[in-house]
Amino acid sequence: DSQNIIFEADMNDNNDAIDKICWTINAVVSNDPQQNSSDDAEVSLKIEEIHACDMVWFAGSSIEADPGETESTQIAVSNTGNSDFTIGLDESGSKAHWITDVSPPNQLLRKGQSVSFTIEVTPDASVSAGSEVIINIKGLDGINGPMICNEQLGVTVGQFSDASLTLSTSSMGEITPGDSEQFQFQVHNEGNGPDTFTVSMSQPPSGWMLQFSQSTVTLDEGTWFTITMNITVPENALADDAAEITISVFGDAGSGIYDSKTVTIPVSAVHSISVEKMAGDQTGRSNEYVQFPVKITNPGNIQDIYEFSVTARTQDWDYSFTDDNEDPISNIQIAAGQDKTINLKVRIPECESSNPEDCELDSSLFKVRFWNKADVKIKIELEMRAILSNRNFTMNMYFKEPGSNP
């Protein structure tokens, strides 16, 4: 017959890991008269390694950090197992990527002792200011082993200020000198909490009037506001003088500029013409030339080309147009606000009659048209009369009160 015997070994929590512990069990027959009936059996026990740990924060389980800024905290890890092992740290959670550094990455953790790790946290602005995010800090058995202990780190996110500008267009339509227009743009709160922003503009050209509908706005996180810029272009603005205005947005004093955008404001071209006849009727002898100076003024705001021609004449007398250098011309270029003088040059013909008196005071009336080449509808017509006269005139002079003069 046989009977099972239960062998019990009490182990405390401090027993080291041991590969093998051996005992010898001796069994003796108690009622054997000869007292020589016995037997021995060996029993062995292996104490497995236990890797366990506890984690404790040095300065509490929470930390505050502004988006983009790095703060650090420390955690102690104690070995509560029965052998030495390597401990590493890892993190998990929706914002685990905020943990930007763990130093050192792993350490040898001896039985009954503890080590410390420094953890750096750099939050972003993906959550609202004042929000707390929980990150799970895990103690790993080995560098990449299973988690054997863990603690939570609460990260409270501070205020992050930022803003951006959105322009309705980077180049406005042309504005006529003397007129007013409006331009709109948006200020966006790109930070993680309510904030107040101020907008400014670069210095406009002389004589221009630019004004914001308001220069300060308070916006909740993720919202935007439309601001109107009122623009008045001066009467004397040139078409070549497009204004480039840089709009900037910034926060409180010392924050710097968050965003800047430039809008171009072109001035529409104004084409015009003004002419002034500088002399009246001109009289000349046969085969001589008479000239009719005409001043052409460009009252517009852009350089233009002006053309001119004789549209009618009462007699077929030769003529030409010349500049100040007596060079023949058919047009002239004049800068905005400037003037130039041209001449209608007419040749007085021979008298075809045998009696010169038959041709005396003969004349030809010239009708001259002036126009702006950029807009032929802008035109002016003048009349100029050339007169033939071959008479010789004489005169006498004398003193009304000669006194001692002969």
Side-chain angles (χ1 to χ4, degrees), residues 57 61-63 73 99 121 133-135 137 151-155:
W57 294 103
S61 60
S62 63
I63 190 173
T73 186
I99 304 298
V121 183
V133 173
I134 301 300
I135 301 175
I137 305 299
E151 272 290 338
Q152 290 185 335
L153 175 63
V155 181

Side-chain angles (χ1 to χ4, degrees), residues 271-273 306 370-373 375-380:
H271 302 284
S272 185
I273 186 173
Y306 296 91
F370 302 84
W371 68 91
N372 190 312
K373 187 177 181 180
D375 187 351
V376 296
K377 296 188 298 295
I378 303 174
K379 58 188 177 181
I380 295 176

Side-chain angles (χ1 to χ4, degrees), residues 282 287-294 308 310 313 316-329 342-349 364 366 368 370 384-386:
Q282 296 291 300
N287 296 319
E288 290 184 348
Y289 289 90
V290 294
Q291 295 192 90
F292 298 87
V294 178
F308 27 82
V310 172
R313 49 186 168 164
D316 191 20
W317 291 5
D318 293 336
Y319 69 91
S320 63
F321 292 99
T322 62
D323 59 16
D324 289 340
N325 297 320
E326 296 292 323
D327 295 324
I329 57 173
I342 64 143
N343 296 286
L344 172 63
K345 187 175 181 181
V346 179
R347 180 179 178 275
I348 305 297
S364 179
F366 287 79
V368 184
F370 302 84
M384 305 174 197
R385 184 182 298 276

Side-chain angles (χ1 to χ4, degrees), residues 385-406:
R385 184 182 298 276
I387 303 172
L388 184 156
S389 177
N390 290 315
R391 290 176 179 173
N392 294 317
F393 294 90
T394 61
M395 63 179 179
N396 294 321
M397 298 179 63
Y398 59 92
F399 293 100
K400 184 177 180 180
E401 296 179 356
S404 61
N405 293 308

Side-chain angles (χ1 to χ4, degrees), residues 207-245:
W208 288 57
M209 294 180 60
L210 278 73
Q211 189 175 25
F212 292 137
S213 57
Q214 61 186 84
S215 59
T216 302
V217 293
T218 299
L219 301 175
D220 290 332
E221 174 187 356
T223 62
W224 52 269
F225 186 80
T226 299
I227 293 178
T228 299
M229 181 169 66
N230 298 303
I231 306 162
T232 300
V233 178
E235 294 277 359
N236 61 350
L238 300 179
D240 300 332
D241 293 343
E244 289 193 347
I245 303 299

